[in-house]
Amino acid sequence: MAVNGSHPLVLRLVSSSLAIAHRAGNIIRDILKKGDLGIVDKGVNDLQTEADRSAQQCIVESLKINFPKITVIGEEDLDTNASVDPNWIETGFNDEVLQCKCPKELQGVTDEQVVVWVDPLDGTTEFTQGLLEHVTVLIGVAVNGKAVGGVIYQPYYNYKAEAESPLGLGRAIWGITGIGTNYCHTALILQLLLLLHITLTIRYL
């Protein structure tokens, strides 16, 4: 589906975030396959890996290219001037989201009202321990300080049964206030993304 100004900004943001989260998940899986996690200890029970860093670069840079006027805040403190692998940039959109009817109260949202919060790899400690089912990519969309939607991507969902299952590897869950989702209630997504919002807000105070 062609994306243009006729699609409300919130729909375009979540649609883009869904495509970007898939790309970030591929990056996370590729880094684990290579075996060099590049672990950095940021403090007590707070690890960072190359997968965290690379996935955040993918997500933040892709969002900035697709939506240059919005504010994007990532969990990891990275050099914003660092070059990003062009293969990590995702400019696609998810048609399923774009086909939804945007709730009336979100139809007039502007770029200046939006902050996107990014946790590129939630569950880093579990990731380093091989507990891959706990790994998620979180992208939350807030409007005027209120969480209104976002994406949760599980890059290792079904990884233990991938060979026998027709579902393949990975699962994305998305939601927008007033719009349902195939995999869980939007309220659950908003609770998780609100927690992400609060956590990162405290971190950046």
Side-chain angles (χ1 to χ4, degrees):
M1 177 183 290
V3 179
N4 53 52
S6 67
H7 293 94
L9 176 60
V10 171
L11 284 186
R12 286 185 282 125
L13 269 170
V14 175
S15 173
S16 173
S17 295
L18 193 50
I20 292 169
H22 277 90
R23 179 70 60 116
N26 288 336
I27 292 170
I28 291 169
R29 289 191 292 259
D30 287 345
I31 289 172
L32 183 62
K33 286 179 182 178
K34 292 177 182 177
D36 183 6
L37 298 184
I39 298 173
V40 174
D41 190 344
K42 299 190 296 180
V44 178
N45 297 322
D46 193 7
L47 301 178
Q48 181 194 86
T49 69
E50 181 58 37
D52 294 85
R53 296 186 289 272
S54 298
Q56 178 163 306
Q57 286 181 314
C58 159
I59 296 167
V60 171
E61 192 65 21
S62 296
L63 285 169
K64 286 183 176 180
I65 289 174
N66 294 340
F67 307 95
K69 295 182 181 180
I70 68 170
T71 299
V72 183
I73 299 176
E75 180 186 20
E76 308 302 337
D77 185 14
L78 303 179
D79 181 0
T80 56
N81 295 317
S83 60
V84 178
D85 187 332
N87 294 318
W88 293 355
I89 304 302
E90 178 58 67
T91 58
F93 291 80
N94 178 273
D95 288 346
E96 178 188 7
V97 181
L98 294 176
Q99 291 169 359
C100 293
K101 181 176 176 59
C102 185
K104 185 176 181 180
E105 63 271 21
L106 297 177
Q107 290 179 6
V109 171
T110 64
D111 298 78
E112 293 74 19
Q113 295 174 287
V114 171
V115 176
V116 177
W117 302 86
V118 176
D119 187 342
L121 198 167
D122 187 48
T124 300
T125 299
E126 291 81 359
F127 179 65
T128 64
Q129 296 172 346
L131 303 174
L132 303 179
E133 61 272 19
H134 297 284
V135 173
T136 58
V137 176
L138 303 177
I139 304 175
V141 178
V143 174
N144 294 328
K146 180 181 178 181
V148 300
V151 173
I152 300 171
Y153 183 66
Q154 300 166 290
Y156 292 101
Y157 178 80
N158 204 42
Y159 81 100
K160 292 181 179 179
E162 181 188 6
E164 296 81 21
S165 172
L167 298 176
L169 181 61
R171 177 174 73 166
I173 304 167
W174 66 272
I176 298 172
T177 300
I179 300 178
T181 167
N182 289 335
Y183 292 105
C184 75
H185 197 278
T186 300
L188 175 59
I189 289 179
L190 294 182
Q191 288 173 6
L192 292 172
L193 295 175
L194 179 59
L195 179 61
L196 167 65
H197 176 122
I198 292 171
T199 302
L200 292 183
T201 298
I202 291 171
R203 182 167 298 183
Y204 281 89
L205 286 179

